[in-house]
Amino acid sequence: MKFFRRFKILGTGSFLPEKVLTNHDLEKMVDTSDEWIKTRTGIEKRHIAANNEATSDMIFAAAKDALKNAGLAASALGAIIVGTVTPDTMFPSTGCWVQRKLDIPGIPAFDVSAACSGFLYGMEIATSMLPSIDKPILVAGADALSKITNWQDRGTCVLMGDGAGVVIIAPTTEDRGYLSSLLGADGALGELLIQHAGGSRMPASHETVDKNLHTIDMKGNEIFKHAVRTMGDAAVEAIAKSGVPPDDIDMFVPHQANHRIIEATCRRAKVPLSKTHITISWHGNMSAGTIPIAFHDAVSKGIIKRDDKVLFAAFGGGFTWGASVLVF
Ligand code: UT7
């Protein structure tokens, strides 16, 4: 095996807010049904952050879990990187909020804005930084999409949920880390999935609030087609670049936006569903949160074991995408 970047995942962790919103709850809020949501998306429930619960609070809880599993004190960390599109504040970054909660001033902390691909973008940056940092790096993927969801729009509100996942990676000379990793983006298609207001293009005003422009605007079925093609192609390319025969991939952990997108991606990438870790039914689409949460779930249940070859693939707003093959 030829390693593109060596690193060791020392620990993983995740956090989902306490409040659960089921499909039956949504039936009382918009014109939808449990049957429609389950058959069209695979989602049965999602977790919703409390009013006073921000993205950094979820990451802080997931980080404590990951540090415990890694057997590390927070003071051992050398950097914090957060993939999110629902930061606590536009600035300071959510990374800085997490750092403050962990009480480890001094080390670099920042956010990566790549929507559902945010965790893979964060991993790419973290693994490139490892040689110079030479200490464990905390990489989080987390979103509180409920805070930017239009709860009157049945086309989006049934999909979204909140949660945080964390991995802690460290330098290693062992044969583990990335065999391949690739990222991509196509800004020309950005308006198919967008939060229009709140940035410098359309600053917050009474009008933007009245027109509901601070919530997710998504052209669902157009994105569906792009997601299947792009995530599938990215997975194929990551497998080819890794040098691992496709049959030797032990587990695929995809971004979880829709069960049908995952199934179609598996067909395109020729990865069997039996080797795909699908967790969408119990948490919905949490953007950057889905891959690290599903990964932690698989690791903590022993579904992914040391030395397994794991494929990641994501697609999201931007458009952005990424895929990688790692040895755990
Ligand atoms: O995280 C990355 C970014 N996001 C995604 O990857 C999401 C990608 N898109 C999707 O997952 C799917 O396109 C959706 C789940 C959003 C929609 O599924 P679809 O099979 O593409 O449905 P559609 O938009 O083509 O709508 C089919 C019908 C429409 O009714 P008519 O026009 O056929 O009468 C919709 O109005 O389903 C209707 N519909 C609903 N019905 C009940 C749309 N949403 C709902 C709903 N409940 N929640």
Side-chain angles (χ1 to χ4, degrees), residues 15 55-67 97-98 100-103 164 166:
F15 175 81
T55 300
S56 72
D57 297 313
M58 299 194 294
I59 297 172
F60 180 51
K64 284 193 286 188
D65 191 19
L67 286 165
W97 283 105
V98 172
R100 173 174 164 161
K101 290 183 172 124
L102 289 171
D103 194 17
V166 162

Side-chain angles (χ1 to χ4, degrees), residues 15-314:
F15 175 81
L16 295 170
E18 197 179 324
K19 182 179 168 187
V20 172
L21 190 71
T22 66
N23 292 350
H24 295 294
D25 295 328
L26 280 161
E27 285 174 342
K28 297 177 202 131
M29 297 162 61
V30 286
D31 181 14
T32 192
S33 66
D34 174 50
E35 178 63 17
W36 191 96
I37 303 171
K38 273 202 302 226
T39 52
R40 294 286 183 136
T41 72
I43 301 167
E44 292 174 25
K45 58 185 174 127
R46 66 288 292 143
H47 291 251
I48 304 292
N51 286 344
N52 63 353
E53 201 168 31
T55 300
S56 72
D57 297 313
M58 299 194 294
I59 297 172
F60 180 51
K64 284 193 286 188
D65 191 19
L67 286 165
K68 190 168 123 246
N69 292 331
L72 286 180
S75 56
L77 295 174
I80 296 170
I81 302 175
V82 174
T84 189
V85 286
T86 47
D88 287 35
T89 47
M90 291 304 284
F91 62 90
S93 70
T94 304
C96 287
W97 283 105
V98 172
Q99 183 194 47
R100 173 174 164 161
K101 290 183 172 124
L102 289 171
D103 194 17
I104 43 171
I107 61 169
F110 58 94
D111 294 358
V112 183
S113 175
C116 305
S117 314
F119 175 70
L120 294 189
Y121 268 66
M123 281 290 287
E124 181 70 23
I125 297 166
T127 54
S128 329
M129 284 170 66
L130 264 186
S132 57
I133 297 277
D134 205 26
K135 278 179 164 187
I137 297 182
L138 185 153
V139 187
D143 271 299
L145 293 183
S146 70
K147 312 265 185 180
I148 57 163
T149 293
N150 177 351
W151 290 100
Q152 272 90 52
D153 175 13
R154 67 176 183 172
T156 53
C157 75
V158 302
L159 304 172
M160 311 307 177
D162 303 338
V166 162
V167 304
I168 296 171
I169 63 168
T172 187
T173 51
E174 296 169 23
D175 276 348
R176 56 187 87 254
Y178 272 158
L179 294 169
S180 66
S181 174
L182 60 99
L183 301 175
D186 185 355
L189 296 166
E191 270 141 357
L192 295 177
L193 180 51
I194 186 168
Q195 182 185 1
H196 294 280
S200 58
R201 182 166 300 279
M202 200 187 288
S205 67
H206 288 292
E207 194 191 354
T208 61
V209 173
D210 291 344
K211 291 186 171 165
N212 223 343
L213 295 172
H214 294 269
T215 56
I216 299 166
D217 179 6
M218 184 178 85
K219 308 287 174 286
N221 50 23
E222 285 186 62
I223 292 167
F224 192 102
K225 291 174 223 150
H226 286 285
V228 168
R229 192 169 54 239
T230 310
M231 212 157 98
D233 289 351
V236 169
E237 194 181 335
I239 295 171
K241 282 190 169 155
S242 74
V244 175
D247 288 350
D248 289 0
I249 297 288
D250 295 296
M251 194 52 66
F252 177 30
V253 183
H255 169 51
Q256 323 256 332
N258 184 320
H259 199 289
R260 289 184 298 138
I261 294 179
I262 297 172
E263 282 170 333
T265 302
C266 286
R267 277 195 297 276
R268 201 172 174 96
K270 299 191 172 53
V271 178
L273 272 178
S274 57
K275 285 186 176 181
T276 304
H277 195 57
I278 306 179
T279 53
I280 190 168
S281 64
W282 46 269
H283 56 56
N285 184 354
M286 302 166 294
S287 193
T290 66
I291 291 182
I293 289 172
F295 181 61
H296 170 67
D297 186 65
V299 169
S300 57
K301 289 177 177 158
I303 296 166
I304 291 175
K305 298 173 283 304
R306 270 285 166 227
D307 299 325
D308 276 357
K309 295 175 200 72
V310 181
L311 168 69
F312 289 143

